[in-house]
Amino acid sequence: MTDEQCTRCGHENAIWVAHSPLWNAVMRGGCINGEPEFNDMVCSACFMELAEAKGLATKFRVTAEEINTPLQMTTPSGRVWDDKKWLWVED
Protein backbone atom coordinates (compact mmCIF):
# COMPACT_ATOMS: atom_id res chain seq x y z
CA MET A 1 0.00 0.00 0.00
CA THR A 2 1.03 3.62 -0.27
CA ASP A 3 0.48 6.66 1.86
CA GLU A 4 -1.60 8.24 -0.90
CA GLN A 5 -5.37 8.28 -0.85
CA CYS A 6 -7.87 8.11 -3.68
CA THR A 7 -9.07 11.65 -4.33
CA ARG A 8 -12.49 10.31 -5.36
CA CYS A 9 -13.43 7.97 -2.47
CA GLY A 10 -10.74 8.73 0.11
CA HIS A 11 -9.57 5.15 0.61
CA GLU A 12 -5.90 4.20 0.75
CA ASN A 13 -4.58 3.71 -2.77
CA ALA A 14 -2.63 0.52 -3.51
CA ILE A 15 0.08 0.63 -6.16
CA TRP A 16 -1.54 -0.27 -9.48
CA VAL A 17 -1.38 0.68 -13.16
CA ALA A 18 -3.77 0.98 -16.08
CA HIS A 19 -3.11 0.88 -19.81
CA SER A 20 -2.15 4.50 -20.50
CA PRO A 21 -4.52 5.12 -23.45
CA LEU A 22 -7.41 3.72 -21.37
CA TRP A 23 -6.34 5.90 -18.43
CA ASN A 24 -6.44 8.95 -20.67
CA ALA A 25 -9.87 7.99 -22.00
CA VAL A 26 -11.28 7.56 -18.50
CA MET A 27 -9.43 10.25 -16.56
CA ARG A 28 -8.57 12.91 -19.18
CA GLY A 29 -11.51 12.92 -21.56
CA GLY A 30 -9.66 10.83 -24.15
CA CYS A 31 -6.78 13.28 -24.59
CA ILE A 32 -3.26 12.74 -23.29
CA ASN A 33 -3.12 16.46 -22.46
CA GLY A 34 -6.69 16.62 -21.17
CA GLU A 35 -7.60 18.11 -17.82
CA PRO A 36 -7.14 15.30 -15.27
CA GLU A 37 -10.13 14.34 -13.14
CA PHE A 38 -9.57 13.82 -9.40
CA ASN A 39 -5.98 15.12 -9.71
CA ASP A 40 -5.04 11.91 -11.57
CA MET A 41 -5.15 9.98 -8.27
CA VAL A 42 -7.88 7.36 -8.03
CA CYS A 43 -7.91 3.83 -6.67
CA SER A 44 -8.45 0.89 -8.99
CA ALA A 45 -12.05 0.42 -7.81
CA CYS A 46 -12.92 4.04 -8.62
CA PHE A 47 -11.15 3.79 -11.98
CA MET A 48 -13.21 0.74 -12.91
CA GLU A 49 -16.44 2.43 -11.79
CA LEU A 50 -15.63 5.53 -13.85
CA ALA A 51 -14.69 3.48 -16.93
CA GLU A 52 -17.91 1.48 -16.74
CA ALA A 53 -20.10 4.54 -16.03
CA LYS A 54 -18.63 6.28 -19.09
CA GLY A 55 -19.19 3.15 -21.21
CA LEU A 56 -15.47 2.89 -22.00
CA ALA A 57 -14.49 -0.50 -20.53
CA THR A 58 -15.84 -3.48 -18.58
CA LYS A 59 -14.71 -6.90 -17.36
CA PHE A 60 -11.47 -5.89 -15.66
CA ARG A 61 -8.92 -8.40 -14.38
CA VAL A 62 -6.24 -8.23 -11.74
CA THR A 63 -2.67 -9.28 -12.50
CA ALA A 64 0.62 -8.95 -10.66
CA GLU A 65 4.06 -8.29 -12.13
CA GLU A 66 5.77 -9.63 -9.03
CA ILE A 67 4.52 -12.78 -7.32
CA ASN A 68 6.68 -13.62 -4.35
CA THR A 69 5.51 -17.15 -3.67
CA PRO A 70 5.08 -20.33 -5.70
CA LEU A 71 1.50 -20.70 -6.92
CA GLN A 72 -0.43 -23.91 -7.38
CA MET A 73 -0.94 -24.29 -11.11
CA THR A 74 -2.68 -27.69 -11.10
CA THR A 75 -5.93 -28.58 -9.34
CA PRO A 76 -6.37 -31.86 -7.46
CA SER A 77 -8.54 -33.08 -10.37
CA GLY A 78 -5.69 -32.42 -12.82
CA ARG A 79 -6.84 -29.21 -14.48
CA VAL A 80 -3.98 -26.80 -15.27
CA TRP A 81 -4.02 -22.99 -15.22
CA ASP A 82 -3.73 -21.56 -18.76
CA ASP A 83 -2.23 -18.04 -18.60
CA LYS A 84 -3.29 -17.23 -22.18
CA LYS A 85 -6.95 -18.19 -21.68
CA TRP A 86 -7.10 -17.13 -18.02
CA LEU A 87 -8.93 -20.38 -17.27
CA TRP A 88 -8.36 -23.76 -15.71
CA VAL A 89 -8.20 -26.30 -18.56
CA GLU A 90 -8.02 -30.06 -18.81
CA ASP A 91 -4.43 -31.21 -19.27
Side-chain angles (χ1 to χ4, degrees):
M1 300 301 265
T2 70
D3 59 354
E4 296 176 331
Q5 293 182 314
C6 175
T7 56
R8 182 173 181 253
C9 73
H11 288 101
E12 187 174 355
N13 197 5
I15 297 170
W16 70 282
V17 298
H19 186 270
S20 188
L22 179 59
W23 177 271
N24 292 333
V26 174
M27 300 301 299
R28 294 176 170 214
C31 178
I32 196 166
N33 293 319
E35 187 66 32
E37 289 188 55
F38 304 103
N39 295 319
D40 264 348
M41 180 57 65
V42 296
C43 65
S44 57
C46 283
F47 180 80
M48 290 183 279
E49 288 176 8
L50 290 166
E52 289 180 359
K54 294 176 180 186
L56 299 173
T58 60
K59 299 181 181 178
F60 293 88
R61 66 172 70 172
V62 175
T63 65
E65 286 187 22
E66 297 178 17
I67 299 175
N68 302 316
T69 187
L71 302 175
Q72 291 183 336
M73 303 302 282
T74 305
T75 67
S77 66
R79 293 185 303 154
V80 177
W81 181 253
D82 185 321
D83 278 328
K84 291 180 183 173
K85 294 181 180 179
W86 266 60
L87 294 170
W88 294 99
V89 296
E90 298 298 326
D91 191 17

